[in-house]
Amino acid sequence: MKRKVIAVLLASTMALGLVACGGGSSDGGSEGGTTEGGTEESGSSEGGSSASGDTIRLVNGKIEIDAQLKKLAEMYKEETGVTVEIESMGGGIDIQGTLKGYYQANNMPDIFVNGGATDFSNWEGMLEDMSGEAWASDTDAAYVDEHGTIGFPYTVEAVGLAYNTGILEKAGIDPATLTGPDAIKTAFETLDAKKAELGIDAVVGYCAEATNLYWSTGNHLFANYIDGGLKRDDTTYIDMLNDGGKVDEARLTDFAEFVGLLNQYSDPALLVSGTYDQQILNFASGKYAFVTQGSWIGATMTTADAEAYAAAGNFEVGMIPYAFQDGMDTILTNSPSWWAVFSDGNKDAAKAFLQWCSEDKAQQVLVEEAGFISPFKSCTYVASDPFAQTIIDYQNADKTSGWHWLNMKEGLAQNYTGQVFNDYAAGRLDAAGFVKTMQQVIQACYAN
């Protein structure tokens, strides 16, 4: 298998060169250091030469936390004597292409970032199984495949139906009661009837624009059909999808009817052709009770939209599950990317450093200074992000499902399902038409 991977890397490197630049690929969530709708500084911050002896090297995909990681490296050296060289990449750098070049130059880092199944497949047979590390039993967000636990999570993001706590309180709605489609429909009706009193433009900020926001509908919203209400290791519906594009028609019908509620109670000015920036700004401004985005919008609300958010009172937020069937009580959480350990590198020292990163001193820096939401259950620190406490509460209650949509066929959302959500929002399809068309386009995608 390693020989096969090496051959692939050789072919890739001929095209990419030692350092390939250009846009990397991301199919949703936040991969390679960017979140959907967000921006990131371009460039690379290099830490030094290849690791050997008491030195290890880490390639990080979030250049905005370069300073915090270098602080951790200083702390770790002072405590252990081991040097950790941090090389941060972001923006226009093709991280996987660069890593392939490093491999050919015999310059591989000991620890490096991977954004999902496609990235990990580049290194099949070359990564350390970390199942036996103490941190692996302290999180639900590790990357696990048939070879074991090969990805260390450093932060968590969540997909759920986000809400403005103050608006729900004013309307007399307890979010804890919103555990099924009938309860959510009743809440939407109540909010809609009180829009003037509550000072909102619409119940839900939902945008099904197909060209730029296909990832929001075709990945994150459709992810709830795949994983909503399931145990983290339940792969029933992604397995069906990957078996020639099969779907559970009854489950998909329930999901379609719920999406119909979002269509009905969304801001009509946003629904079909709005933008991510409009969607988040309006929610941050207190114009919607709910918004169909993930926890990553907290960073936008407190930076780009900070003035509008402050004017709206810096309101508390929360999340409810997309409960399109009764009893669904999970939100979807995962690490947007992971650190892996190269088996032919300084693997023992690398694993020791990652274990230390999961513990108290490092977690304090990663949470309070880097702004990460910790994936580790033992962590007592809470980030200042508006959604941090909500995610921690769901994690502590074991009420989270996985992100198996990451294993969908590449291009499914962008080229197929995103348009179906748009057609449904525009009224060109009803619920039954949504189900039928979704089945057709998914099968077409998997047939190609």
Side-chain angles (χ1 to χ4, degrees):
M1 179 58 69
K2 184 178 289 190
R3 188 175 299 169
K4 175 183 176 183
V5 174
I6 291 171
V8 172
L9 293 177
L10 277 167
S12 300
T13 305
M14 290 175 67
L16 291 166
L18 289 180
V19 180
C21 295
S25 64
S26 176
D27 210 24
S30 63
E31 184 174 323
T34 59
T35 52
E36 301 292 5
T39 59
E40 180 182 80
E41 182 181 352
S42 178
S44 173
S45 174
E46 296 190 8
S49 59
S50 297
S52 62
D54 58 356
T55 298
I56 58 175
R57 178 163 141 249
L58 184 153
V59 167
N60 156 53
K62 294 182 72 67
I63 201 165
E64 69 271 21
I65 62 158
D66 180 69
Q68 291 86 349
L69 291 184
K70 286 177 176 173
K71 177 176 179 176
L72 288 185
E74 291 175 4
M75 292 167 56
Y76 192 66
K77 184 171 184 178
E78 183 176 343
E79 186 173 320
T80 68
V82 175
T83 298
V84 182
E85 298 173 342
I86 304 297
E87 182 179 350
S88 295
M89 302 180 187
I93 289 183
D94 177 356
I95 296 175
Q96 286 292 307
T98 301
L99 288 167
K100 292 172 184 178
Y102 285 163
Y103 182 86
Q104 290 306 310
N106 197 28
N107 186 33
M108 279 297 287
D110 303 286
I111 303 170
F112 59 94
V113 67
N114 284 286
T118 301
D119 289 356
F120 277 104
S121 68
N122 290 330
W123 311 103
E124 189 170 350
M126 301 184 187
L127 304 178
E128 278 293 290
D129 177 8
M130 296 180 280
S131 303
E133 300 297 302
W135 64 261
S137 60
D138 192 30
T139 182
D140 292 325
Y143 189 90
V144 181
D145 71 359
E146 65 271 20
H147 303 295
T149 300
I150 58 174
F152 175 92
Y154 50 83
T155 189
V156 169
E157 292 179 350
V159 174
L161 187 56
Y163 62 81
N164 179 322
T165 300
I167 290 175
L168 295 195
E169 287 180 350
K170 191 173 179 181
I173 296 169
D174 179 359
T177 66
L178 304 182
T179 57
D182 291 341
I184 293 173
K185 179 180 179 182
T186 299
F188 281 9
E189 291 171 345
T190 299
L191 291 162
D192 190 59
K194 296 182 176 183
K195 283 191 298 186
E197 176 186 340
L198 298 170
I200 60 176
D201 291 349
V203 176
V204 185
Y206 168 53
C207 185
E209 191 274 334
T211 302
N212 299 302
L213 281 173
Y214 65 85
W215 52 265
S216 181
T217 53
N219 284 337
H220 299 143
L221 185 53
F222 188 64
N224 291 276
Y225 159 77
I226 295 172
D227 279 310
L230 304 184
K231 299 287 187 182
R232 293 194 66 84
D233 61 354
D234 190 335
T235 61
T236 299
Y237 300 106
I238 188 64
D239 289 344
M240 289 180 64
L241 206 65
N242 288 330
D243 183 18
K246 297 186 175 88
V247 299
D248 182 312
E249 188 168 338
R251 181 177 171 90
L252 187 59
T253 297
D254 290 341
F255 175 75
E257 291 174 353
F258 189 90
V259 175
L261 280 179
L262 300 179
N263 291 337
Q264 182 178 354
Y265 290 99
S266 178
D267 182 352
L270 185 79
L271 179 58
V272 175
S273 59
T275 68
Y276 175 90
D277 289 343
Q278 291 171 330
Q279 186 182 19
I280 307 314
L281 176 59
N282 288 354
F283 180 70
S285 302
K287 294 181 179 181
Y288 305 140
F290 293 91
V291 67
T292 58
Q293 282 291 348
S295 62
W296 50 85
I297 69 171
T300 305
M301 292 169 64
T302 54
T303 54
D305 295 341
E307 185 175 341
Y309 186 40
N314 289 322
F315 53 85
E316 292 185 6
V317 298
M319 279 187 174
I320 62 168
Y322 283 94
F324 60 89
Q325 293 178 334
D326 287 332
M328 287 185 164
D329 59 357
T330 63
I331 61 172
L332 280 51
T333 66
N334 219 55
S335 181
S337 55
W338 298 262
W339 291 335
V341 172
F342 186 52
S343 293
D344 288 342
N346 198 352
K347 59 187 180 183
D348 291 335
K351 288 189 288 187
F353 175 67
L354 292 184
Q355 177 58 42
W356 181 82
C357 284
S358 74
E359 296 169 359
D360 189 76
K361 291 179 183 178
Q363 283 295 295
Q364 184 174 14
V365 173
L366 290 172
V367 171
E368 295 184 349
E369 298 183 32
F372 285 163
I373 297 172
S374 177
F376 299 105
K377 298 174 184 177
S378 61
C379 180
T380 59
Y381 302 103
V382 180
S384 59
D385 185 278
F387 290 95
Q389 189 61 58
T390 294
I391 295 175
I392 290 169
D393 289 345
Y394 273 101
Q395 288 182 148
N396 289 343
D398 289 326
K399 297 294 185 180
T400 68
S401 298
W403 277 16
H404 291 109
W405 59 270
L406 290 170
N407 298 324
M408 295 190 307
K409 185 171 181 179
E410 186 175 0
L412 179 62
Q414 182 174 8
N415 301 320
Y416 295 89
T417 61
Q419 185 60 53
V420 182
F421 280 96
N422 181 263
D423 288 341
Y424 191 16
R428 291 187 287 270
L429 298 171
D430 58 12
F434 175 87
V435 172
K436 181 179 179 180
T437 307
M438 192 66 77
Q439 289 176 303
Q440 291 172 341
V441 301
I442 290 173
Q443 289 172 3
C445 176
Y446 277 86
N448 287 338

